[in-house]
Amino acid sequence: MQELVDKDELAPTWRERYVPGDNDAVFSDHYPDREAAVTAADALNATLKQAFSTRAMDSVAKRSLELKIDKALQAKRRLQDEEALMLAEALRRHAGDQRPDAGSIKMAPEAERYRQDLAEQLAIMPYVRVAKVGRSNNRWTHSLLYLGLDGVWSKPYHVGEKAALTAERAKIANGFDLSASTHWGKAKARIRQILLPRANQLLQLASVQRLLAEALARGERVLVSNGIVFWYEDGVLGWQIKETSATRESDGATIWKEGTILSTNHGRLVVLPYIKENGEQVRGHTKNGPNDGRALPRHHDHYVEIPFSLYDGDLMIGLFGELPYE
């Protein structure tokens, strides 16, 4: 678990959360799985939010700090939801892969003691080419194994916290045949491109068609979840799939949930309304990506200004899971 810490005039920063133990000891606040951690975080956040609301401070400074907190928390949640979706799709893509028997895995002699650890991971993710192995008090130590071009897993390499992230990223990147050491932002951008045709398949599902029909009946014409946008156009187009995007200013900014999107073109990317740290509220818009060419403009009479609805990230994960395995 991490906690957001107020740094007076500076922006709040994340740090590892510690909890008290016996004999005045302190321990990292860790959980057996993501579900347990999220449940605990939601309960803790409600308590901290209530405590902050009673805090005596200048009203302008307090509102500014609220925006910074919202921005930091939104960024974390959007990141977690997006990566959970990518992991779910990576697992789905390899659901039919053959799982290696523990005894058949080729390993360097120095890695032999980690054979069972590695076999358990490959039973879930047979596609990974980097694995973090070894447990101490039910927590991972930082030892990495690498799959060589010859099909042999390497000797263990003891690494620091930052390098250990490579194994976590491999769970996603390797599932899309990408290297875990690729720049993570570029890797995820490529994965979003890979996911888009699959997202379009959602429009063919009866369950999704019903969801969208009910949304339209409520007057909702733009639904956003995990970087995927269901966008309704009057006429023959109907529901389409677009992607969320960002400007340099909006990247990581607090989403302005009461804002609207003004579409003056038929761009494939949607920049959601956002609030700057100074409190300025910026309306959303549509655009094309850097290599897409100029977005086809709308006639001025056909400009569309519409609100949007944010759906929980688990919705998109669930919808992807409903699609049959190709």
Side-chain angles (χ1 to χ4, degrees):
M1 187 74 73
Q2 290 187 329
E3 58 187 3
L4 192 64
V5 181
D6 181 12
K7 291 287 188 177
D8 298 321
E9 297 301 319
L10 301 176
T13 57
W14 292 101
R15 73 179 181 193
E16 190 168 358
R17 176 177 170 80
Y18 290 94
V19 292
D22 296 333
N23 301 319
D24 296 325
V26 293
F27 300 94
S28 294
D29 188 16
H30 63 275
Y31 297 81
D33 53 55
R34 182 177 186 270
E35 183 178 359
V38 170
T39 299
D42 288 343
L44 180 60
N45 284 346
T47 302
L48 295 176
K49 187 174 183 179
Q50 175 61 32
F52 180 77
S53 68
T54 61
R55 185 171 172 180
M57 59 185 298
D58 176 76
S59 60
V60 174
K62 190 171 187 178
R63 177 55 182 156
S64 176
L65 186 53
E66 283 178 338
L67 287 172
K68 291 175 181 177
I69 292 170
D70 285 347
K71 174 181 176 179
L73 194 55
Q74 277 186 18
K76 281 283 186 184
R77 284 176 170 164
R78 289 165 68 186
L79 178 69
Q80 289 178 347
D81 285 346
E82 178 183 65
E83 293 185 359
L85 172 65
M86 291 177 174
L87 176 59
E89 175 62 4
L91 293 170
R92 185 203 67 82
R93 284 173 170 252
H94 295 272
D97 289 6
Q98 184 176 356
R99 270 59 178 169
D101 177 75
S104 67
I105 300 173
K106 298 178 181 179
M107 307 179 71
E110 301 93 327
E112 187 59 42
R113 66 186 183 276
Y114 297 123
R115 179 175 293 275
Q116 190 57 39
D117 267 351
L118 181 60
E120 290 175 2
Q121 293 185 57
L122 294 179
I124 301 170
M125 293 166 285
Y127 55 84
V128 293
R129 302 192 291 271
V130 183
K132 186 163 56 174
V133 293
R135 289 180 182 272
S136 174
N137 296 325
N138 202 36
R139 300 194 66 194
W140 289 107
T141 57
H142 297 152
S143 295
L144 299 188
L145 303 180
Y146 296 87
L147 180 63
L149 295 177
D150 57 0
V152 178
W153 286 88
S154 71
K155 67 178 183 180
Y157 290 89
H158 300 290
V159 298
E161 191 82 31
K162 187 174 182 180
L165 281 175
T166 304
E168 293 302 311
R169 291 173 176 174
K171 296 176 182 179
I172 296 173
N174 292 170
F176 295 90
D177 203 27
L178 299 172
S179 170
S181 60
T182 300
H183 181 280
W184 193 226
K186 293 180 180 178
K188 293 209 295 184
R190 175 59 186 142
I191 293 171
R192 290 189 202 101
Q193 293 175 348
I194 294 171
L195 289 179
L196 197 60
R198 181 159 170 77
N200 272 298
Q201 290 178 268
L202 294 176
L203 297 177
Q204 309 305 316
L205 281 180
S207 58
V208 176
Q209 290 174 359
R210 178 178 176 181
L211 180 150
L212 297 177
E214 291 175 350
L216 191 60
R218 295 191 298 268
E220 297 176 349
R221 295 155 59 94
V222 179
L223 312 180
V224 182
S225 179
N226 271 9
I228 303 296
V229 181
F230 295 97
W231 178 281
Y232 186 80
E233 289 276 358
D234 288 320
V236 296
L237 293 179
W239 287 100
Q240 305 173 67
I241 295 290
K242 294 181 182 285
E243 297 175 74
T244 55
S245 183
T247 64
R248 289 183 180 179
E249 290 179 325
S250 72
D251 191 17
T254 308
I255 294 177
W256 176 22
K257 296 179 181 177
E258 294 77 31
T260 57
I261 300 166
L262 177 64
S263 178
T264 63
N265 56 53
H266 294 277
R268 68 175 180 85
L269 304 177
V270 181
V271 177
L272 298 177
Y274 62 96
I275 305 176
K276 296 182 178 180
E277 286 196 0
N278 64 6
E280 180 184 349
Q281 297 168 329
V282 181
R283 187 163 54 184
H285 59 276
T286 53
K287 66 175 187 175
N288 265 356
N291 301 313
D292 294 338
R294 186 175 181 181
L296 182 67
R298 298 179 188 270
H299 186 280
H300 192 279
D301 293 341
H302 298 155
Y303 284 4
V304 182
E305 183 175 3
I306 45 180
F308 68 101
S309 297
L310 279 175
Y311 277 49
D312 189 279
D314 287 343
L315 167 74
M316 192 61 63
I317 295 172
L319 292 179
F320 265 51
E322 287 182 30
L323 286 176
Y325 184 75
E326 290 91 6

